[in-house]
Amino acid sequence: MRLAMRPAMKRQQTQKIAVGLITGAAVLVVIPIVLVILYIVVQGIGALSWEFLTAPPRNGMTEGGIMPAILGTLILTLGTAIVCLPLAIGAAIYLAEYASDNRLTRWVRLAIVNLAGIPSIVYGLFGLGAFVLFLQFGTSILAGSLTLGIMTLPVVISTAEEAILSVPQEFRLVSQSLGATRWQTIRHQVLPHAMPGIITGVILGLSRAAGETAPILFTVAAFYVPHLPQSISDQTMALPYHLYVIATQVPGMPLSVQYGTALVLLLLVLSLTVVATVIRTRMRRRRDW
Amino acid sequence: MGPKIVVKNVYFTYGDGTEALHNVSMEIASYQIFVLFGPARAGKTTLLRLFNRLSDLIENATVQGQILFNGRDIFERGTDVIDLRRRIGMVFAIPTPLPGSIRDNITYGLRMAGIRNRDELESRVERSLTQAALWNEVKDRLDKPASALSGGQKQRLCIARSLALEPEVLILDNPTSGLDPLSTAMVEESLHELKQRYTIIMVPHSVQQAARVATTAAFMLDGEIIEVGSADQIFGQPQVKQTEDYVTGRFG
Amino acid sequence: MANLNDFAKARTAQIALRVRPMGVWLRRGRLETLIELLIRLSGVSTIVIVGLIFLFLLREGLPAFLDIPLRQLFGSRWYPIEGFYGIWPLLVGSLVVTAGAIVIAVPLGLTTAVYLGEIAPVWQREILKPLIEVLAGIPSIVLGFLGWVALAPIIQSLGAPTGLTALTGSLILAYMALPTIISISEDALYAVPKEYRDGALAIGATQWQTIWRVVLPAARSGLAMAVMLGIGRAIGETMAVMMVTGNAAFIPDLGLDLPLHPVRTMTATIAAEMGEVAQGSLHYNVLFGIGIVLFVVTFAINLVAGRLVGSVVRRRGGQL
Ligand SMILES: Nc1ncnc2c1ncn2[C@@H]1O[C@H](COP(=O)(O)OP(=O)(O)OP(=O)(O)O)[C@@H](O)[C@H]1O
Ligand SMILES: [Mg+2]
């Protein structure tokens, strides 16, 4: 090979420079992440107070708290879970346990890949066209949850399938050799052992949904509702949309309130991520094979 | 009474095109230890997994021929595969306790069959563990994780787990492969007891083990049955040259 | 005779023992059939959902393509108030911002993946990987907000007439696409067999030569997929882009200062204007029409990316 013939000195130099540059790039990626988080924490921490978290906004949203938005996001996240989970876990079980290598399966996989690639604003359009208008749910928690739930499907399906496939094949063989049916085997052996992975995927998917704005713009999000939603056909405020509104639509909004809202949203979403990681490691440690 | 299992002209091909069984025919009589032996990749595991149709789990494989169990073809359309697997128990080469306690493992098959009665479950736990010569060692820690047992104990647990379903046939695929001589002896010991009540089909760890435990033996090579006969015949006066070479260690 | 009787009794006892579980089994059999049906249905439902999404986009968006002459639809003026629905400026806007993001994110992402996969010691990897997951987890609105309040003033201070420019959008988008690019290319690098590296090192290649001449070429289809999906991620991003690109719907002059002009993307247009249009109006149809364009573009990107990896390899078999 030619490369081995180059003068050793020069090769070593290139090596040093290259590694230096690569390391530099990695630093360039990481530093802004740390900065962004630190910056929001530093700027926003001052706004956090008991009132900020538990009171509704007052005085043109420039004072008071953001409780309706926090609660709205929690409700929407729950709604997303209810819509997404049965379908996603069903589809994951189908792919991992039932699907044979045929055309239908390839179509399902293609569909999932493409669902994952559809822009969130397009989900918003779909939600508007299908749920708000066609099914006449109106701008409502129901329409928003359905939209977010469908958007979250591909993430949860992929991670859940991964988790199910990682359950050792031995358990399936043993279980069925003992006269368990295929579903019994899934129910009693596969799912319990895939659970940490599934839960991780679910929480990650939900944390994405909780932070999304575009899909809820036309399906559920309200600029300002003085009271809490009474039913699933009500609109609700939501944290991401609220942040958008106070940052760009309300003149004279104190910066501290904006940063405080951003911080609450960030904490909510990242804490979900952390919870997912903790559950994963905890349950991993407990399993005994 | 006719033979327990009859294999008639069975061919088996894996999805990747490997023909693992080629025109296999034989009969297995009740209440004995039937030993199926031969070099690696002869097709022994493949054949065993046909008996309880665990082969159904292999994608894209094709089977031809008949296997009669109690006179009925197991590949027939209306066959209740689940019931078949309860009647034909299977123990694998690597001891594989399911996650959970010793008791959970033994009662798993029963619970899946819908048996809820505590007393019944308890008595079956004791009976099957006793039959597998494990009761005395584990009776005080039935609720401890099965994964904490030693290799030999795990394998006897797997035998007991199959016995709990009170099968008619017990299949053991090289059950002592990973065990030390002492554990091996204990497993072999329990097999001699068990053949009074069950029909045992076993792939042995070695020719020596085959000779020690067999009532009847079948020698397999490259997907075909070369010779079947009583243990005395196969290990004393084999009729076929290949069998003789293999049992006398001149193989290969 | 007595013998036969005994035998019959014994048989009945045995059968009784089996019949009871069998009874349960039969009832359970029906439940299982139902469950398995539901499982298969949820699998197939994914196809149905993709179909439905496209159908509903068509239902609301097709009139745009039918009622507006194509020349006008792809014309260069977007003035909905005066009835000009030329989506060309929006396409260009999306293109400029996405291209800028990719120019920034691809080199950064690939090198970071190389660093994580080939150079970084284990302890660094264990800090860096979660950090990148955190980046993936930051809601786009939060990054958009930061771009709006913190990054835009910086850009402006660099001499641009405004801080809300294509460049601001590209920078934010780049960091949003980074996690996708990094994690997929890292998987691609990981899949390169260790023997390749050992072979190259054995004949005296330096680590860098090994990476550049052996590892990267071997991983190229996976790396291409990472870039494709990164593009897909960037082109579909909405909120952050809407907040920081200035939303001016005209085509900037092609020049070196192109990135320093405000632009408006397709996604931002939908988000910003859908709230104000009358349902069923032409404007409303056109916004859905833009949705169709986005759907088709991302669909195509994912199709190509999917081809790059071939079919999913299933880890099965076990050692029993
Ligand atoms: N899942 C599979 N897919 C494809 N081919 C297989 C599979 N399992 C086994 N085979 C092939 O079928 C043939 C018979 O294998 P089998 O496992 O039945 O042999 P065996 O006699 O049990 O061997 P051993 O003594 O090593 O356990 C071999 O050539 C093997 O490579
Ligand atoms: Mg074998």
Side-chain angles (χ1 to χ4, degrees):
Chain A
M1 248 170 126
R2 196 164 48 89
L3 60 87
M5 312 249 298
R6 282 217 210 136
M9 278 282 286
K10 191 162 173 231
R11 283 194 295 135
Q12 290 310 327
Q13 237 173 0
T14 322
Q15 152 82 10
K16 268 195 197 136
I17 294 173
V19 170
L21 283 177
I22 294 173
T23 314
V27 171
L28 217 55
V29 168
V30 169
I31 298 275
I33 306 178
V34 179
L35 277 184
V36 159
I37 292 172
L38 279 183
Y39 190 71
I40 293 184
V41 170
V42 169
Q43 298 280 328
I45 199 100
L48 291 202
S49 66
W50 185 244
E51 191 201 2
F52 190 68
L53 295 176
T54 58
R58 273 185 288 111
N59 201 4
M61 301 205 274
T62 55
E63 288 171 28
I66 54 170
M67 185 270 285
I70 297 177
L71 203 74
T73 285
L74 292 180
I75 293 172
L76 282 176
T77 309
L78 184 70
T80 306
I82 294 171
V83 173
C84 171
L85 288 200
L87 217 54
I89 292 177
I93 296 177
Y94 170 77
L95 284 175
E97 299 288 329
Y98 288 90
S100 44
D101 188 18
N102 58 24
R103 183 169 300 160
L104 179 69
T105 309
R106 279 196 293 278
W107 279 75
V108 171
R109 290 195 185 282
L110 185 69
I112 292 168
V113 168
N114 284 299
L115 278 176
I118 294 175
S120 54
I121 187 74
V122 174
Y123 279 104
L125 288 179
F126 168 64
L128 172 63
F131 304 127
V132 177
L133 300 176
F134 183 74
L135 293 176
Q136 305 191 338
F137 295 155
T139 26
S140 60
I141 292 174
L142 180 59
S145 301
L146 284 166
T147 310
L148 285 172
I150 288 176
M151 188 197 75
T152 314
L153 280 177
V155 186
V156 181
I157 294 177
S158 305
T159 39
E161 187 199 352
E162 190 78 2
I164 292 173
L165 282 179
S166 73
V167 175
Q169 177 70 355
E170 285 78 29
F171 294 153
R172 297 185 182 83
L173 277 176
V174 166
S175 171
Q176 301 210 33
S177 79
L178 290 168
T181 63
R182 183 142 74 156
W183 167 247
Q184 284 178 326
T185 301
I186 294 171
R187 161 87 183 65
H188 293 278
Q189 297 301 327
V190 177
L191 287 186
H193 304 124
M195 209 36 94
I198 295 179
I199 291 179
T200 312
V202 166
I203 298 182
L204 284 181
L206 290 182
S207 78
R208 296 283 149 79
E212 275 288 354
T213 319
I216 60 174
L217 274 179
F218 332 124
T219 53
V220 50
F223 190 85
Y224 174 68
V225 253
H227 54 84
L228 295 179
Q230 305 297 308
S231 79
I232 57 170
S233 46
D234 282 0
Q235 291 194 15
T236 177
M237 296 175 75
L239 267 179
Y241 183 64
H242 185 66
L243 176 58
Y244 170 68
V245 163
I246 60 175
T248 63
Q249 316 281 302
V250 184
M253 197 69 198
L255 259 184
S256 67
V257 176
Q258 300 182 30
Y259 277 109
T261 309
L263 179 59
V264 172
L265 177 58
L266 193 67
L267 286 180
L268 192 97
V269 169
L270 291 188
S271 63
L272 279 177
T273 317
V274 172
V275 168
T277 322
V278 170
I279 291 179
R280 179 167 49 186
T281 31
R282 271 261 192 95
M283 292 180 80
R284 281 244 172 96
R285 218 176 292 138
R286 237 196 295 145
R287 77 180 170 195
D288 58 347
W289 74 65
Chain B
M1 197 164 70
K4 194 80 193 164
I5 292 177
V6 181
V7 182
K8 280 190 191 166
N9 309 103
V10 167
Y11 294 77
F12 186 92
T13 309
Y14 281 101
D16 61 1
T18 318
E19 193 192 44
L21 296 178
H22 184 84
N23 199 12
V24 169
S25 295
M26 61 185 189
E27 295 189 354
I28 299 172
S30 301
Y31 304 119
Q32 58 151 337
I33 299 183
F34 184 99
V35 163
L36 188 64
F37 72 110
R41 298 196 291 159
K44 301 167 305 246
T45 300
T46 308
L47 181 57
L48 292 187
R49 290 188 186 186
L50 280 175
F51 292 148
N52 63 355
R53 284 192 46 184
L54 210 55
S55 54
D56 289 6
L57 274 64
I58 306 166
E59 270 184 48
N60 303 325
T62 49
V63 203
Q64 277 174 48
Q66 280 188 318
I67 294 179
L68 307 184
F69 174 60
N70 292 335
R72 290 196 57 173
D73 186 359
I74 61 166
F75 295 120
E76 227 173 54
R77 264 194 149 263
T79 307
D80 182 348
V81 181
I82 302 304
D83 184 56
L84 180 74
R85 292 189 187 141
R86 291 189 186 129
R87 289 171 192 260
I88 303 185
M90 178 168 262
V91 175
F92 298 89
I94 300 168
T96 314
L98 295 171
S101 70
I102 294 172
R103 193 196 307 275
D104 292 343
N105 266 274
I106 303 287
T107 57
Y108 182 74
L110 299 167
R111 283 182 283 129
M112 294 305 110
I115 296 176
R116 287 279 134 73
N117 184 320
R118 260 177 186 287
D119 298 335
E120 167 124 29
L121 289 177
E122 278 311 295
S123 73
R124 294 241 200 161
V125 168
E126 176 166 357
R127 195 161 2 135
S128 56
L129 281 171
T130 312
Q131 285 178 348
L134 190 60
W135 176 249
N136 287 328
E137 290 161 62
V138 301
K139 62 171 183 267
D140 301 321
R141 47 176 174 141
L142 291 175
D143 291 310
K144 293 272 152 61
S147 55
L149 294 173
S150 77
Q153 288 173 323
K154 276 183 191 161
Q155 196 58 300
R156 277 177 283 147
L157 175 76
C158 292
I159 294 174
R161 185 172 63 187
S162 291
L163 294 179
L165 283 161
E166 301 186 345
E168 297 165 37
V169 177
L170 183 63
I171 295 176
L172 303 120
D173 187 353
N174 199 351
T176 61
S177 65
L179 304 189
D180 59 283
L182 200 68
S183 306
T184 302
M186 291 184 79
V187 171
E188 285 179 20
E189 186 78 20
S190 58
L191 290 185
H192 276 292
E193 295 284 317
L194 291 172
K195 76 175 171 194
Q196 319 296 333
R197 303 155 151 272
Y198 304 94
T199 304
I200 294 174
I201 307 173
M202 169 175 168
V203 169
H205 181 52
S206 61
V207 176
Q208 290 73 16
Q209 185 179 45
R212 276 200 302 273
V213 299
T215 321
T216 315
F219 176 60
M220 252 189 119
L221 186 60
D222 291 339
E224 296 184 57
I225 299 280
I226 303 297
E227 188 174 356
V228 190
S230 71
D232 291 344
Q233 180 203 320
I234 294 287
F235 302 106
Q237 297 116 17
Q239 308 291 304
V240 184
K241 175 95 177 21
Q242 286 145 310
T243 319
E244 184 178 348
D245 285 351
Y246 189 75
V247 297
T248 53
R250 262 182 285 146
F251 183 81
Chain C
M1 209 62 218
N3 251 345
L4 205 62
N5 253 340
D6 282 355
F7 176 73
K9 246 186 231 156
R11 281 300 291 171
T12 337
Q14 209 184 351
I15 287 166
L17 230 171
R18 290 197 187 285
V19 158
R20 190 164 39 103
M22 280 308 293
V24 177
W25 158 236
L26 275 185
R27 243 180 296 130
R28 176 174 285 177
R30 228 178 292 151
L31 182 69
E32 278 207 34
T33 319
L34 183 71
I35 291 174
E36 299 201 341
L37 182 74
L38 288 177
I39 287 175
R40 283 172 195 282
L41 278 182
S42 17
V44 176
S45 74
T46 53
I47 302 177
V48 177
I49 288 172
V50 174
L52 280 179
I53 291 177
F54 192 54
L55 256 175
F56 272 99
L57 291 179
L58 277 186
R59 193 179 116 99
E60 311 285 337
L62 207 52
F65 294 95
L66 300 179
D67 297 353
I68 305 176
L70 276 191
R71 275 199 52 205
Q72 210 212 336
L73 190 62
F74 288 95
S76 59
R77 292 188 68 188
W78 177 263
Y79 283 127
I81 308 169
E82 295 177 18
F84 289 103
Y85 298 106
I87 64 172
W88 189 241
L90 314 179
L91 272 168
V92 172
S94 283
L95 217 70
V96 169
V97 179
T98 304
I102 290 306
V103 166
I104 301 166
V106 165
L108 270 186
L110 293 190
T111 38
T112 304
V114 169
Y115 184 73
L116 282 175
E118 307 284 324
I119 296 173
V122 175
W123 66 269
Q124 285 188 13
R125 220 172 300 168
E126 287 190 348
I127 299 175
L128 293 182
K129 281 186 146 185
L131 253 181
I132 288 163
E133 271 179 43
V134 163
L135 177 59
I138 299 178
S140 72
I141 191 77
V142 172
L143 285 179
F145 168 70
L146 269 187
W148 162 265
V149 294
L151 184 60
I154 298 177
I155 299 280
Q156 192 168 18
S157 69
L158 293 179
T162 161
L164 302 176
T165 64
L167 175 64
T168 325
S170 296
L171 276 171
I172 299 278
L173 270 192
Y175 275 85
M176 301 186 65
L178 271 175
T180 311
I181 296 178
I182 293 174
S183 72
I184 296 175
S185 35
E186 212 210 325
D187 287 348
L189 295 177
Y190 186 78
V192 175
K194 193 169 177 303
E195 290 76 42
Y196 286 28
R197 298 183 180 86
D198 294 347
L201 292 172
I203 60 163
T206 60
Q207 186 186 23
W208 165 242
Q209 284 171 322
T210 307
I211 294 171
W212 183 244
R213 305 223 173 164
V214 178
V215 177
L216 288 181
R220 64 177 177 276
S221 72
L223 300 181
M225 180 170 99
V227 174
M228 297 293 293
L229 293 180
I231 295 175
R233 178 87 179 80
I235 216 166
E237 177 45 46
T238 310
M239 297 314 287
V241 175
M242 175 157 86
M243 291 177 84
V244 300
T245 57
N247 291 331
F250 52 79
I251 306 174
D253 300 328
L254 292 178
L256 273 184
D257 60 347
L258 177 72
L260 292 181
H261 284 288
V263 293
R264 152 176 279 203
T265 65
M266 296 188 280
T267 50
T269 306
I270 301 175
E273 296 178 12
M274 185 55 89
E276 285 144 29
V277 301
Q279 183 211 330
S281 68
L282 196 54
H283 191 181
Y284 168 92
N285 296 141
V286 173
L287 292 181
F288 270 93
I290 298 174
I292 297 178
V293 173
L294 280 170
F295 181 91
V296 171
V297 169
T298 48
F299 197 96
I301 289 176
N302 281 288
L303 217 58
V304 175
R307 280 286 143 74
L308 287 173
V309 272
S311 65
V312 186
V313 184
R314 305 182 62 172
R315 290 155 302 150
R316 272 294 168 83
Q319 355 122 311
L320 282 181

